[in-house]
Amino acid sequence: MKRKLMKRKLHNKICCLFLLLCLFLSGCANVLTEQEDEEPGREAEQIQAVSGQVPDPVLALEPGAELELHTLEEFSFLEEGSSFAYKNLSDAEKIWYRDMEQILGSYGTEIELSGAALEAGLNETYIDRIFQCVLNDHPELFYVEGYSYTKYTRYGREDEILSIDFSGRYSVDYETAKQRYIRIQKAVTEILSGISDSADQYEKVKYVYDTVIRETDYQLDSADNQNIYSVFVNHLSVCQGYAKATQYLLNRLGMECALVLGQVQTGEGHAWNLVNIDGSYYYVDTTWGDVSYKSEEDSVEDQHTMPEINYDYLNVTTAELLRTHTLNQDQLMPECIAVDANYYVREGALFFDYDREQMSALFQRALEEDRVDVTIKCASQECYDKIFNALVEQAEIFDYLTGNDMKVVYSRNDIQLSLTFWVTNE
């Protein structure tokens, strides 16, 4: 009844529409417009800006099984994930976070946000940050492209907010989203069927890293490239699609994996992941693991023959990441210092000096696994220079490879101090 009396006194209504711009490689942009409501005695201000776990219960499929639309009646797309962004919010912000994820997961519109958060001091300026946190934690909300809200205030006292109604803005209609969800689940089920039940956490991360790269081609103008549909169904995406697909798969495997936003050396916006492996955090950049993404900038002979996966950004420390990446200041990230699950450490390919016995064992293992490429990483510039001189300038690489009339090609990453060698018949 109290709310009803307050509504009768309400003569001023401020309607605000937000569509948060998706993080494209060029960054984010905002559009601000205003318009007057035609209804006498009311004012409306419109602000526009454009955005860029498994269902509960999980609708997991057996390989080859089909999911029918009728099973999705009264269905929420919302899934349980690692909720990394949620954990960094205040108690009041968490209230609206829970409201928004439920609204967005069920294609909701015009639903009132909890008044308890208003009473705790929140206002409309918090909506954008909380909305982005929801999207960062929930890659399964692939159809969400923005939001709108309506703010109700007491007449003459615009700083006294009575209520806020929140609506999701969606890229496709509800039925189309359900069809796309079915296609996504079919692809994800197929991918996850390829990993061993006995795989440890490192092996799970590497499997996802390898699979997303092999299943996806980097293409700037690809459709739906800010969400997981572009990866799992279209197989064409950009960095945010790669990162969200990586996050989605690892969440499905029961691992904590978060979306990270920032910039790279060129100043472009970029997305990658933070993953928890055996209690320690590491950074993973699946996009930069796709050689086709960076090949034009590398000094590589016969680029078309280069191995498709680069491991310089599989489970790296903060120090390694910051050589080429910059974190957004509004994201609270842990300091990643562990190295046990780093690709080169785990694979015995990290060198502190030119150890010929270690080098021989590395190439022998590649031969036994029928791999045509070997990558090594050096712990220091001195080690890097020594190994490069020995293997390349002194041609000692042929001491570790067998066969006649071989053509060995190499690529070098002078920033991450890594060298990749592979044999080609071309």
Side-chain angles (χ1 to χ4, degrees):
M1 292 298 293
K2 181 179 179 181
R3 183 53 184 274
K4 203 167 185 180
L5 290 173
M6 292 173 68
K7 288 277 191 177
R8 287 176 181 166
K9 294 180 181 179
L10 183 63
H11 298 290
N12 190 40
K13 173 184 176 183
I14 300 177
C15 301
C16 296
L17 175 69
F18 265 88
L19 184 60
L20 178 68
L21 245 207
C22 286
L23 175 71
F24 293 102
L25 286 176
S26 58
C28 299
N30 296 321
V31 180
L32 185 64
T33 65
E34 292 187 14
Q35 73 178 43
E36 293 296 323
D37 196 321
E38 296 180 357
E39 184 177 349
R42 293 175 180 264
E43 294 181 356
E45 179 186 27
Q46 281 202 333
I47 306 174
Q48 295 191 355
V50 185
S51 165
Q53 330 169 311
V54 214
D56 189 12
V58 178
L59 292 179
L61 302 178
E62 293 296 327
E66 297 292 338
L67 181 63
E68 301 296 338
L69 274 180
H70 65 78
T71 66
L72 300 183
E73 295 177 4
E74 303 298 325
F75 172 72
S76 171
F77 293 88
L78 194 64
E79 304 182 9
E80 291 296 329
S82 55
S83 299
F84 183 86
Y86 170 81
K87 295 172 185 176
N88 288 322
L89 296 175
S90 68
D91 289 343
E93 289 172 323
K94 288 176 180 178
I95 296 173
W96 276 1
Y97 177 104
R98 291 304 187 193
D99 289 344
M100 289 182 195
E101 66 176 1
Q102 293 300 323
I103 293 168
L104 297 172
S106 58
Y107 255 72
T109 58
E110 297 297 324
I111 298 176
E112 183 178 342
L113 296 176
S114 299
L118 288 173
E119 294 173 4
L122 264 57
N123 57 39
E124 73 278 12
T125 63
Y126 289 81
I127 292 177
D128 189 70
R129 162 178 156 78
I130 299 171
F131 170 79
Q132 188 61 61
C133 286
V134 173
L135 290 194
N136 288 355
D137 281 346
H138 292 284
E140 73 274 15
L141 300 180
F142 60 91
Y143 50 84
V144 177
E145 64 178 8
Y147 66 86
S148 65
Y149 71 85
T150 302
K151 180 179 73 172
Y152 294 89
T153 63
R154 192 180 300 280
Y155 180 76
R157 299 178 61 179
E158 294 187 5
D159 60 337
E160 185 177 345
I161 303 173
L162 301 179
S163 65
I164 295 177
D165 291 345
F166 182 87
S167 300
R169 290 178 62 87
Y170 310 111
S171 60
V172 294
D173 61 56
Y174 182 59
E175 293 303 316
T176 301
K178 290 196 293 184
Q179 292 279 6
R180 291 189 171 193
Y181 173 82
I182 291 172
R183 296 188 186 104
I184 289 170
Q185 293 310 306
K186 183 177 181 180
V188 168
T189 300
E190 188 68 26
I191 289 172
L192 296 182
S193 68
I195 188 167
S196 170
D197 292 338
S198 62
D200 62 20
Q201 292 194 342
Y202 166 80
E203 291 167 335
K204 289 178 181 179
V205 176
K206 183 178 182 296
Y207 175 83
V208 168
Y209 185 88
D210 290 348
T211 303
V212 170
I213 291 171
R214 290 192 175 109
E215 292 287 322
T216 314
D217 289 328
Y218 187 90
Q219 183 173 306
L220 275 174
D221 59 354
S222 53
D224 299 293
N225 60 27
Q226 301 298 299
N227 65 64
I228 62 175
Y229 188 78
S230 64
V231 172
F232 295 134
V233 179
N234 295 336
H235 304 292
L236 298 170
S237 195
V238 296
C239 63
Q240 191 151 204
Y242 279 75
K244 287 188 174 182
T246 299
Q247 178 187 19
Y248 186 79
L249 290 170
L250 289 176
N251 284 169
R252 285 286 297 263
L253 288 170
M255 296 189 63
E256 181 184 11
C257 181
L259 181 73
V260 184
L261 304 177
Q263 296 78 41
V264 291
Q265 296 158 308
T266 58
E268 293 176 320
H270 191 54
W272 61 96
N273 298 102
L274 177 77
V275 62
N276 187 325
I277 302 175
D278 297 324
S280 297
Y281 285 106
Y282 300 83
Y283 285 112
V284 174
D285 191 338
T286 315
T287 308
W288 277 33
D290 191 336
V291 171
S292 65
Y293 170 66
K294 295 286 289 180
S295 62
E296 293 184 1
E297 301 176 12
D298 297 331
S299 59
V300 182
E301 299 177 1
D302 297 337
Q303 290 178 2
H304 60 288
T305 67
M306 189 174 181
E308 61 185 325
I309 301 177
N310 176 288
Y311 292 105
D312 285 337
Y313 292 88
L314 177 57
N315 305 337
V316 300
T317 64
T318 298
E320 288 178 297
L321 180 86
L322 294 183
R323 293 173 186 171
T324 50
H325 295 51
T326 301
L327 295 161
N328 281 357
Q329 295 301 311
D330 60 349
Q331 284 188 298
L332 299 176
M333 291 291 142
E335 184 75 11
C336 302
I337 58 175
V339 297
D340 289 349
N342 174 265
Y343 170 81
Y344 295 106
V345 172
R346 181 67 182 255
E347 303 295 331
L350 177 64
F351 287 76
F352 294 87
D353 198 357
Y354 182 24
D355 185 329
R356 287 175 171 78
E357 184 177 342
Q358 180 185 0
M359 191 73 69
S360 179
L362 187 64
F363 277 87
Q364 181 60 34
R365 179 179 171 187
L367 180 64
E368 293 170 354
E369 296 175 353
D370 293 324
R371 287 190 287 113
V372 297
D373 61 284
V374 172
T375 302
I376 65 173
K377 181 179 175 68
C378 298
S380 67
Q381 186 68 49
E382 181 182 5
C383 173
Y384 182 68
D385 293 339
K386 179 184 286 189
I387 289 180
F388 181 81
N389 177 71
L391 297 186
V392 177
E393 296 179 358
Q394 303 301 321
E396 289 187 24
I397 183 64
F398 294 102
D399 293 345
Y400 305 102
L401 296 169
T402 58
N404 297 320
D405 300 322
M406 286 188 306
K407 181 178 180 181
V408 178
V409 186
Y410 74 92
S411 70
R412 57 187 295 176
N413 186 328
D414 293 339
I415 296 176
Q416 296 296 348
L417 305 180
S418 66
L419 294 164
T420 300
F421 298 89
W422 66 99
V423 177
T424 177
N425 294 322
E426 297 185 12

